[in-house]
Amino acid sequence: MMRAIVGHSQDIDSTDAIREVIAQCVAQLGGETPRAGFLFMSVEYEHQEVLDTIAAKWPGLPLIGGSTDGEISSSNGFVDDSIVLTLICGEGIEAVAGVAPNLSQGVEAAVDAALAGCDMAQPVVCFTVFAPTSNSSDVVRMLGNKLGTSRCPVLGGLTGDHREFCNTREFCNTQVLADSLPVLLLGGSVQVSWGIGSGWLPIADAHRVTKSEGHLVSTIDGKPALELYRHYWGKVPEDSLGEYPLAVFPDGPSGPYYLRAAMEADPATDSIRFAGDVPEGALVRLTEVLPEGLLAGSQEAAKNAAKRYPGRDPSVALVFSCAARKWVLGSQVQHEVRLLSEALEEREWKPALAGFYCFGEIAPFDPGEPSQFHNETCVTVLLGQ
């Protein structure tokens, strides 16, 4: 049976923090050897020292992770600067990790290189924690195409760095990299489900994107994109539109939608740069939210994951929540972790919980569908056997 072990330290010293984390994990392992690991930590730590210490304790452990905009665990709740290590144990679990550097220099080449290091015939799930340095939608789409959407969902998030947007780091096995794509494949007797929630709700009418290229939207309904925002919101800050995400409907106005965070506007053209692709021809709607709505979105993510879980008792809940949600929640951010746990406890489940606040989230809408790149969303993943 799968077991998930979580160690979490807030010690400010890298050496002391990872020693504390490993001591917590060893006490829970009871001599068992972990099969895979996830490592999330602040940019403030000595990353290579932490990776080397873990590798010395568990040589050859397949592990991925990255820097964050805040860490989450069931033991410590939300912490702004800490180290969280999650270890997956159990007979019948297969795990292998691979990584590609220089993601921004070519998405397809990076995806091929990362997967080339992962020799697994039938993976059940692919986790990734990659850099926000390329077209993230392309990365997710390419991973799904190579792995096969119907049999191996791609789940995870993008690395963060406390709003610096220039200092993110990724981890794979013993390596610390920047601008990279790590992947972890799990197979064997693993069971997985996931749920998505946001709390941002579409408002008003649907509009058509009439000119866009990748992240940049030039016109909506034939008019400069920023005019739509001004029509509904009046004067908006052109250099910080993160609290005004756009809902994008890939399958029509009655289908599911993903969010795109608006990053900034070009005052010369009134075009808007988003944190992910907004396809030309797509239907979009503006959104609005209150903090209590964000927390409802967190509950929705956990409850949807619980409804879909094919087993009886998941071992761990991995949480990938957008950093923008944390910024809007402010002092209420601790409630997100509590509500996630309570949503699972309604099923009388008490899985270990671990995760981080990231710069983009990854999950399909439904099983068998292609994975999507999301913004300002909470993704909860349940794992067990």
Side-chain angles (χ1 to χ4, degrees):
M1 179 176 178
M2 179 186 289
R3 288 205 303 141
I5 307 301
V6 177
H8 192 176
S9 175
Q10 304 175 51
D11 198 298
I12 61 173
D13 180 79
S14 297
T15 302
D16 293 340
I18 191 55
R19 284 177 178 171
E20 181 183 356
V21 165
I22 288 178
Q24 292 172 8
C25 291
V26 168
Q28 299 172 69
L29 283 169
E32 192 171 2
T33 300
R35 303 281 178 163
F38 298 91
L39 178 66
F40 310 131
M41 63 175 151
S42 166
V43 293
E44 305 298 329
Y45 289 98
E46 297 293 333
H47 298 148
Q48 192 62 62
E49 178 185 350
V50 171
L51 268 290
D52 289 345
T53 305
I54 294 170
K57 182 62 183 177
W58 297 291
L61 176 71
L63 176 147
I64 66 165
S67 60
T68 78
D69 204 81
E71 304 78 43
I72 296 169
S73 80
S74 44
S75 57
N76 289 19
F78 162 75
V79 183
D80 239 331
D81 290 295
S82 64
I83 299 176
V84 177
L85 175 64
T86 306
L87 301 176
I88 305 299
C89 309
E91 295 296 327
I93 297 171
E94 301 173 27
V96 62
V99 66
N102 305 318
L103 176 60
S104 62
Q105 294 182 21
V107 168
E108 185 169 9
V111 169
D112 286 341
L115 292 178
C118 298
D119 184 15
M120 184 178 293
Q122 293 185 319
V124 173
V125 59
C126 172
F127 285 98
T128 182
V129 181
F130 63 84
T133 54
S134 66
N135 186 320
S136 302
S137 301
D138 280 353
V139 177
V140 174
R141 184 163 47 247
M142 192 71 65
L143 278 171
N145 289 343
K146 301 285 184 178
L147 289 165
T149 295
S150 62
R151 65 186 181 92
C152 184
V154 179
L155 304 166
L158 273 60
T159 48
D161 65 357
H162 289 321
R163 263 178 159 170
E164 295 175 25
F165 301 105
C166 63
N167 198 31
T168 58
R169 293 293 182 269
E170 299 79 50
F171 317 137
C172 183
N173 299 331
T174 61
Q175 298 182 74
V176 177
L177 304 104
D179 184 27
S180 72
L181 171 65
V183 297
L184 175 70
L185 302 185
L186 295 181
S189 55
V190 171
Q191 305 227 55
V192 62
S193 69
W194 62 89
I196 300 168
S198 69
W200 266 279
L201 298 176
I203 60 172
D205 297 328
H207 302 269
R208 182 79 64 182
V209 176
T210 45
K211 186 178 180 181
S212 70
E213 185 175 350
H215 297 214
L216 187 68
V217 175
S218 299
T219 65
I220 299 175
D221 294 337
K223 301 175 182 177
L226 195 60
E227 282 193 20
L228 179 65
Y229 281 73
R230 290 178 178 144
H231 174 74
Y232 282 98
W233 304 118
K235 186 174 176 60
V236 292
E238 295 175 354
D239 61 342
S240 179
L241 291 163
E243 294 184 20
Y244 303 92
L246 202 63
V248 182
F249 293 79
D251 301 318
S254 60
Y257 62 89
Y258 54 83
L259 295 177
R260 281 291 174 261
M263 303 302 288
E264 61 184 357
D266 181 347
T269 63
D270 283 351
S271 59
I272 300 176
R273 182 175 66 86
F274 289 84
D277 277 7
V278 181
E280 191 167 293
L283 288 176
V284 297
R285 293 171 66 185
L286 294 175
T287 64
E288 65 179 0
V289 71
L290 295 172
E292 54 267 32
L294 285 183
L295 295 173
S298 306
Q299 287 182 306
E300 180 186 6
K303 288 182 177 180
N304 286 341
K307 288 177 185 176
R308 292 173 173 164
Y309 186 66
R312 290 183 296 177
D313 191 4
S315 301
V316 62
L318 296 172
V319 179
F320 305 92
S321 189
C322 184
R325 299 169 60 81
K326 185 192 83 169
W327 303 336
V328 173
L329 284 170
S331 61
Q332 296 187 56
V333 68
Q334 283 285 3
H335 296 322
E336 182 165 45
V337 182
R338 176 178 56 81
L339 291 173
L340 286 165
S341 296
E342 288 178 356
L344 298 172
E345 287 171 1
E346 289 180 5
R347 296 290 189 100
E348 298 185 353
W349 293 342
K350 290 191 177 181
L353 188 148
F356 73 104
Y357 286 92
C358 44
F359 284 174
E361 305 74 53
I362 303 160
F365 288 125
D366 292 300
E369 294 186 356
S371 289
Q372 302 283 348
F373 174 63
H374 305 265
N375 298 135
E376 317 217 17
T377 297
C378 179
V379 172
T380 300
V381 181
L382 297 179
L383 280 177
Q385 274 184 296

